[in-house]
Amino acid sequence: MFEAYIKEQKERVKCSFYAGLLCQKVEEKFESSLKTLTALITGSSAKRLIANEVSEDNPYAAMMPDIITSEQRKKAEKTIQQKIQAGTLSLPEPLLEILTIRLKNVTDAFLEMLCRMEKHKEEISSALLGGKTYTKITDIELSAGDTHNHGRSVVILHTDTGKLVYKPHNMKGDAYIYSLAERFFPEFVGIPKVIAFADRFGVCEFIEKQRSEGEEEARSFWYNMGGTTAFLKILGSTDMHLENITCHGGKPYILDLETILSPIKSNHNTKKRFPQLTEILPHSPYYTAILPGKLKEVEISPFMSTDEKGLAPIVNGEKEPVFHYLDSFHAGYHAAYQQTLNRREELAAALRNAPADMPIRIIVYGTQEYFDIIMRLYNHDSLATTENYQKSRDILSKLLLKHLLPDLKECVASELEQIERGDIPYFYTTAKSRSIFSDGMEIKKDAFEKSATEHALENLYAMGNTDELFDKNLLDRAIRQYPSKILKREEPPKKTPSRTAEPLSKEVALSEAEELLKEMYSLNIPSPNGSLLWGYSNDDAIGFSFCDVDLFNGLAGLAAFSSALFHATGDAEAKKISEVITENFTDSLQNFYEYHKSYDFAFDYAPQLGEADGIAGIITALSLLKIIFI
């Protein structure tokens, strides 16, 4: 039904001045990608047209399209094609407009790539292929449906002299990070070599995935992953999940550098409400997305995944996650950390010299979420008439406004415009800016509290013994507490202590209470600013999270419990624990007062006031500690 639209774009490529660069296989793959794109856009509408056609002979087809046979479908497609050619059936205007625009944009981007690869052939070959000049592109791997900036996407190119990665966006950042890693962290982390062409595009070397093998190589790899984690923490990286990192030659290689630097978001309510977290976490490995975690039941961390996408080394035929090499991992983290301290001023100068216009991607929604939104716009009901499409667009606009964070509302107009043309919305800032940009325009000024380079410099100067200890404890806890079933190892059954109906004696009760307090306190992750932090990881969490232990979530109860225990037992260790917890409780109480003195009591930030959320502890604490809060 839509072959003519595909054929038009296919002919544009065949007739191109640069078509001689292509092998037949590449032309066929590009045509296949156009067919895939056409099916994505027209699938729902085509299904409805076929059902309507078949329903003339089988009335149930319109209600139950799944009962349509392959023979009926082929016959209906042929009839529909004849009706279109005869002019007795017209396809919906919004459908044809979107299809035409998207196919044209993708073809424009493909021809632009061919032009650039031909024009800069010698420079690219010299920089990335050892001077062996390519003459043909023998194969390609296209990003299916994932485009930005008017149909442009990353393309993996197989040439007659080697593989390359073409990226149609500003690659100054990749070139800068490559030089930074080579200068300061060459033994730990790999960055693909890149040649950047102004602010338009760049080409990278292709890194072939190669797992480490054997015990010695496994220890070396996880040592280097520890150093890479320190590197990512220092730069303030985000979005460093499994798809963005590979391995080769015993080192992790970071393939996607769009978020390897990141700004600090301005979220004043959260900062006021939870200062103990918002002051610490941006300077830790917490936001890197490298910690063990799941997304839709799929492991996304380079640390734990052992399937074919994973990086785990092979030892005695088994793929071994970091869990079994924590000593090597921590040693690598420490080595990179100390190396950074020794060259802190040199690294700081390099960060200050980062290209001011270096783009840094801002993740608003995930790619899959945007793709799902686009596909909903391509539903037959949306594309049936211009009026229907406008209604769908208006509904989408309202939904985006409703669900987007309050401080990003300015992004919605650009977001919607990019979705309408079929692109995954792309927002970015620059290395030394606090603004958000999209399509080359400033969308929101002062959207961030710190620019990307300010964030990295702040991380650098926050480094020290207490900071490193916090990072070590955080990483260790996040890995050790991860569900054992992810590692596919059975845990021994838990022993349940026997209970009797007899009440405990005072001595036994105090002893058990003292043991519980000390065990609970030992699970605390000591923070650089002295606040108490507990974390957890379970089967329902997408990764490691910190417990919200503040005034309204148990801290008052802990203060009361520890204070009462000390007064009952006189134990010196219980006294020390009580003093720390009570000091944190007092700080939390003061913070709560300051917060509500200057802010409205917004629903989003209202505390959970339930028995399980600390209210019982608060009431008891106010009585025992004789604190009155008005």
Side-chain angles (χ1 to χ4, degrees):
M1 284 185 278
F2 305 97
E3 185 62 35
Y5 298 91
I6 297 171
K7 186 178 179 182
E8 180 184 353
Q9 302 307 320
K10 190 171 69 171
E11 288 300 315
R12 288 182 62 203
V13 172
K14 276 192 172 185
C15 298
S16 163
F17 180 78
Y18 306 104
L21 197 59
L22 303 177
C23 289
Q24 180 67 28
K25 186 177 182 179
V26 177
E27 292 183 16
E28 290 171 358
K29 278 204 170 180
F30 180 68
E31 180 182 359
S32 177
S33 74
L34 294 180
K35 288 179 178 179
T36 300
L37 179 57
T38 299
L40 285 174
I41 297 167
T42 64
S44 177
S45 297
K47 191 174 183 179
R48 182 66 64 89
L49 286 169
I50 290 168
N52 290 343
E53 185 64 37
V54 174
S55 64
E56 293 181 10
D57 297 323
N58 181 356
Y60 295 104
M63 294 181 289
M64 297 181 290
D66 291 339
I67 69 171
I68 298 173
T69 66
S70 57
E71 291 80 8
Q72 288 174 328
R73 184 174 290 105
K74 288 178 182 178
K75 181 182 176 183
E77 288 175 352
K78 186 176 180 181
T79 304
I80 292 167
Q81 186 67 41
Q82 290 170 347
K83 288 182 178 180
I84 292 172
Q85 291 172 350
T88 57
L89 175 66
S90 58
L91 294 169
E93 188 176 324
L95 172 68
L96 295 181
E97 184 177 349
I98 287 173
L99 178 61
T100 303
I101 290 172
R102 286 213 66 183
L103 290 177
K104 181 181 182 301
N105 281 349
V106 168
T107 306
D108 286 347
F110 187 75
L111 292 172
E112 178 183 73
M113 181 269 292
L114 291 182
C115 173
R116 289 169 168 176
M117 293 302 294
E118 177 64 41
K119 184 178 179 180
H120 300 283
K121 185 188 297 183
E122 299 298 333
E123 297 160 87
I124 294 169
S125 298
S126 176
L128 305 176
L129 297 173
K132 297 179 181 177
T133 305
Y134 56 85
T135 59
K136 286 282 186 181
I137 297 174
T138 58
D139 200 357
I140 56 169
E141 296 171 44
L142 297 158
S143 301
D146 183 5
T147 66
H148 306 290
N149 190 19
H150 300 273
R152 293 173 173 85
S153 67
V154 173
V155 183
I156 297 175
L157 301 167
H158 299 240
T159 75
D160 51 358
T161 56
K163 291 171 77 171
L164 299 166
V165 182
Y166 167 84
K167 296 186 177 184
H169 55 251
N170 189 327
M171 296 287 283
K172 285 183 180 180
D174 295 60
Y176 168 73
I177 296 298
Y178 173 79
S179 65
L180 200 70
E182 286 294 295
R183 181 177 171 188
F184 294 98
F185 302 92
E187 66 272 46
F188 298 108
V189 59
I191 306 289
K193 291 179 185 176
V194 60
I195 178 168
F197 293 90
D199 60 353
R200 297 173 297 136
F201 76 103
V203 182
C204 301
E205 66 174 328
F206 181 85
I207 304 299
E208 200 77 51
K209 182 177 174 180
Q210 180 190 80
R211 291 180 188 267
S212 297
E213 294 191 25
E215 181 72 25
E216 187 177 341
E217 284 193 10
R219 290 200 171 278
S220 176
F221 174 78
W222 287 121
Y223 176 89
N224 289 335
M225 182 61 87
T228 297
T229 303
F231 172 71
L232 295 174
K233 164 251 172 52
I234 293 160
L235 295 185
S237 305
T238 57
D239 206 38
M240 288 297 149
H241 51 75
L242 183 58
E243 290 184 359
N244 290 338
I245 301 179
T246 192
C247 54
H248 182 87
K251 286 198 299 189
Y253 268 79
I254 303 171
L255 303 179
D256 191 333
L257 305 171
E258 291 180 318
T259 59
I260 201 163
L261 289 168
S262 63
I264 296 179
K265 293 179 181 178
S266 298
N267 198 331
H268 301 296
N269 268 322
T270 302
K271 187 172 183 179
K272 283 281 187 181
R273 187 75 178 85
F274 307 114
Q276 71 273 31
L277 291 178
T278 53
E279 290 175 8
I280 297 168
L281 297 189
H283 310 307
S284 77
Y286 185 75
Y287 291 121
T288 59
I290 203 172
L291 299 181
K294 295 178 292 183
L295 185 62
K296 295 182 179 179
E297 297 305 314
V298 176
E299 179 59 51
I300 62 171
S301 169
F303 290 167
M304 289 296 186
S305 181
T306 56
D307 62 15
E308 289 310 306
K309 291 184 178 179
L311 311 183
I314 301 171
V315 181
N316 298 324
E318 293 287 330
K319 297 176 184 128
E320 292 289 349
V322 71
F323 188 84
H324 304 108
Y325 295 87
L326 273 173
D327 55 342
S328 298
F329 175 81
H330 287 312
Y333 192 90
H334 176 72
Y337 197 103
Q338 293 300 313
Q339 182 173 295
T340 302
L341 289 178
N342 294 336
R343 302 179 67 184
R344 176 153 40 195
E345 293 306 322
E346 193 181 348
L347 180 54
L351 288 168
R352 292 189 184 99
N353 288 329
D357 60 344
M358 177 178 128
I360 292 151
R361 188 174 182 182
I362 304 301
I363 305 295
V364 177
Y365 286 123
T367 296
Q368 187 60 50
E369 292 173 289
Y370 277 130
F371 183 78
D372 292 342
I373 290 171
I374 291 170
M375 292 310 298
R376 290 187 183 190
L377 269 185
Y378 292 168
N379 182 275
H380 170 266
D381 292 332
S382 294
L383 298 178
T385 66
T386 302
E387 183 182 7
N388 281 13
Y389 184 73
Q390 186 58 47
K391 284 182 181 178
S392 296
R393 183 189 181 281
D394 292 342
I395 292 170
L396 175 58
S397 178
K398 289 174 183 177
L399 286 172
L400 290 172
L401 278 167
K402 183 177 180 180
H403 293 290
L404 207 61
L405 293 174
D407 54 351
L408 294 178
K409 296 296 186 186
E410 294 87 346
C411 295
V412 170
S414 176
E415 191 176 31
L416 187 58
E417 182 181 335
Q418 294 177 72
I419 287 172
E420 280 192 291
R421 68 181 186 231
D423 286 335
I424 303 298
Y426 190 97
F427 297 98
Y428 64 97
T429 183
T430 52
K432 299 180 180 180
S433 171
R434 298 183 182 184
S435 297
I436 295 179
F437 302 88
S438 184
D439 278 349
M441 297 181 295
E442 186 179 58
I443 302 296
K444 181 173 183 178
K445 193 175 182 64
D446 294 325
F448 303 105
E449 185 178 316
K450 303 281 184 183
S451 71
T453 50
E454 287 172 332
H455 180 192
L457 286 165
E458 200 170 81
N459 288 348
L460 192 60
Y461 285 108
M463 291 173 70
N465 291 336
T466 55
D467 176 73
E468 185 183 3
L469 180 61
F470 175 72
D471 289 349
K472 180 184 182 298
N473 287 329
L474 166 61
L475 290 163
D476 197 72
R477 189 70 56 80
I479 294 168
R480 288 184 187 276
Q481 284 189 351
Y482 206 56
S484 60
K485 73 177 188 179
I486 300 298
L487 302 171
K488 298 181 180 178
R489 282 167 169 76
E490 294 293 328
E491 278 190 334
K494 294 180 180 178
K495 294 182 180 179
T496 304
S498 59
R499 296 291 182 189
T500 66
E502 296 295 322
L504 296 175
S505 67
K506 176 182 176 182
E507 291 74 18
V508 172
L510 286 175
S511 176
E512 286 196 8
E514 190 176 319
E515 184 180 345
L516 284 171
L517 176 67
K518 292 175 182 178
E519 184 175 351
M520 177 278 301
Y521 188 75
S522 71
L523 294 174
N524 165 56
I525 300 177
S527 64
N529 64 9
S531 59
L532 295 173
L533 297 174
W534 283 271
Y536 66 97
S537 183
N538 57 45
D539 290 346
D540 297 323
I542 63 168
F544 187 82
S545 300
F546 281 97
C547 304
D548 173 20
V549 183
D550 70 352
L551 176 67
F552 286 95
N553 283 298
L555 189 58
L558 289 175
F561 179 77
S562 61
S563 178
L565 183 67
F566 159 62
H567 285 292
T569 65
D571 182 80
E573 189 177 351
K575 177 183 179 183
K576 182 180 177 182
I577 292 172
S578 175
E579 287 172 348
V580 174
I581 294 177
T582 303
E583 183 180 352
N584 271 262
F585 164 71
T586 306
D587 290 343
S588 183
L589 189 68
Q590 182 64 35
N591 174 67
F592 178 77
Y593 172 71
E594 294 296 334
Y595 173 78
H596 288 294
K597 186 171 68 172
S598 54
Y599 283 87
D600 292 333
F601 199 80
F603 174 78
D604 290 345
Y605 301 98
Q608 301 288 326
L609 293 180
E611 195 171 334
D613 291 298
I615 193 169
I618 294 168
I619 294 169
T620 306
L622 293 178
S623 301
L624 290 175
L625 302 179
K626 297 181 180 179
I627 293 175
I628 298 175
F629 178 65
I630 300 176

